[in-house]
């Protein structure tokens, strides 16, 4: 009975029928669609216009990036499991799946760091040509978003560990999940547009 009362206390009155924090996140993600859309459109507009190399076909390792992509996509599944765990009051499951999501995100970032440093050693950087500029800006901003997401997940993990984030606060995990799924979806678009369609 006490648990039911606690859950009721955390229901917020809204003017839209949607929680204000969730509405704010959806609004933010909408603006992020325009942001990444402009970066992807810029990359596509300048694709193949570099006067001198290196060019995408010489640099990309599709198998390597495919593995990184798979890891990031699996992190979305882990995020769903983390949300399901906290919604049913499973503290241990929440800790496990939040950690797994953060670890998968960190693994993806490690792969991106390896790719960036490899490209730099092979002569491709921001100022090398149009390909280098648009590629590093686009994927660099995405990597920044993943980094923010990992930090956010780890902060939630610490809150769950300390008992400050419980079942009735599951909305906090849900909102983080919206952000994380968005980052994953954006990467699918980037992977397709940049790595798979580079002719």
């Amino acid at each position: 009975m006490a648990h039911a009362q606690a859950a009721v206390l955390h229901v917020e009155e809204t003017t839209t029928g949607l929680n204000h924090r969730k509405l704010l996140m959806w609004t933010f993600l909408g603006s992020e669609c325009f942001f990444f859309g402009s970066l992807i459109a810029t990359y596509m507009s300048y694709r193949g216009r570099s006067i001198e190399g290196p060019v995408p076909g010489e640099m990309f390792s599709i198998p390597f990036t495919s593995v990184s992509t798979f890891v990031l996509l699996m992190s979305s599944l882990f995020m769903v499991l983390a949300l399901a765990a906290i919604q049913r009051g499973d503290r241990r499951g929440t800790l496990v799946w939040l950690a797994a999501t953060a670890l998968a995100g960190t693994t993806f970032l490690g792969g991106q760091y390896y790719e960036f440093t490899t490209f730099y050693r092979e002569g491709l950087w921001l100022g090398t040509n149009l390909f280098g500029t648009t590629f590093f800006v686009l994927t660099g901003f995405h990597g920044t978003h993943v980094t923010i997401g990992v930090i956010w997940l780890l902060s939630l993990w610490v809150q769950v560990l300390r008992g400050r984030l419980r079942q009735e606060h599951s909305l906090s995990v849900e909102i983080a999940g919206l952000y994380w799924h968005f980052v994953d979806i954006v990467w699918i678009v980037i992977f397709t547009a940049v790595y798979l369609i580079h002719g």
Side-chain angles (χ1 to χ4, degrees), residues 19-136:
N19 179 276
H20 290 311
R21 288 193 295 154
K22 191 184 290 188
L23 181 61
L24 182 62
M25 177 52 71
W26 278 115
T27 304
F28 170 72
L29 295 180
S31 68
E32 287 286 276
C33 286
F34 287 106
F35 175 71
F36 276 106
S38 65
L39 291 180
I40 293 169
T42 301
Y43 178 88
M44 298 296 284
S45 296
Y46 288 109
R47 186 179 62 185
R49 295 191 182 185
S50 295
I51 298 174
E52 57 184 32
V55 295
E58 300 170 352
M59 305 301 296
F60 292 152
S61 171
I62 303 301
F64 176 81
T65 312
S66 296
V67 172
S68 292
T69 300
F70 176 75
V71 170
L72 191 62
L73 293 181
M74 286 301 296
S75 73
S76 267
L77 171 62
F78 300 155
M79 191 72 232
V80 169
L81 294 172
L83 177 59
I86 195 169
Q87 286 177 337
R88 66 174 179 267
D90 179 4
R91 179 174 176 270
R92 182 178 178 279
T94 306
L95 288 169
V96 167
W97 294 118
L98 281 176
T101 308
L103 179 60
T106 304
T107 302
F108 173 83
L109 290 171
Q112 191 172 54
Y113 174 78
Y114 172 80
E115 185 178 61
F116 280 12
T117 54
T118 300
F119 288 179
Y120 180 75
R121 286 196 299 271
E122 293 180 5
L124 180 68
W125 194 235
L126 275 165
T128 304
N129 54 24
L130 283 172
F131 164 53
T133 302
T134 54
F135 171 80
F136 282 109

Side-chain angles (χ1 to χ4, degrees), residues 101-181:
T101 308
L103 179 60
T106 304
T107 302
F108 173 83
L109 290 171
Q112 191 172 54
Y113 174 78
Y114 172 80
E115 185 178 61
F116 280 12
T117 54
T118 300
F119 288 179
Y120 180 75
R121 286 196 299 271
E122 293 180 5
L124 180 68
W125 194 235
L126 275 165
T128 304
N129 54 24
L130 283 172
F131 164 53
T133 302
T134 54
F135 171 80
F136 282 109
V137 169
L138 173 58
T139 56
F141 269 114
H142 180 266
T144 302
H145 280 69
V146 176
T147 302
I148 292 168
V150 169
I151 294 169
W152 191 352
L153 291 169
L154 291 175
S155 71
L156 292 175
W157 188 87
V158 170
Q159 291 179 60
V160 174
L161 184 67
R162 294 180 176 177
R164 296 178 183 172
L165 195 63
R166 297 181 293 276
Q167 185 177 11
E168 60 268 25
H169 308 117
S170 63
L171 181 64
S172 295
V173 177
E174 184 178 352
I175 291 172
L178 289 175
Y179 175 86
W180 192 258
H181 295 315

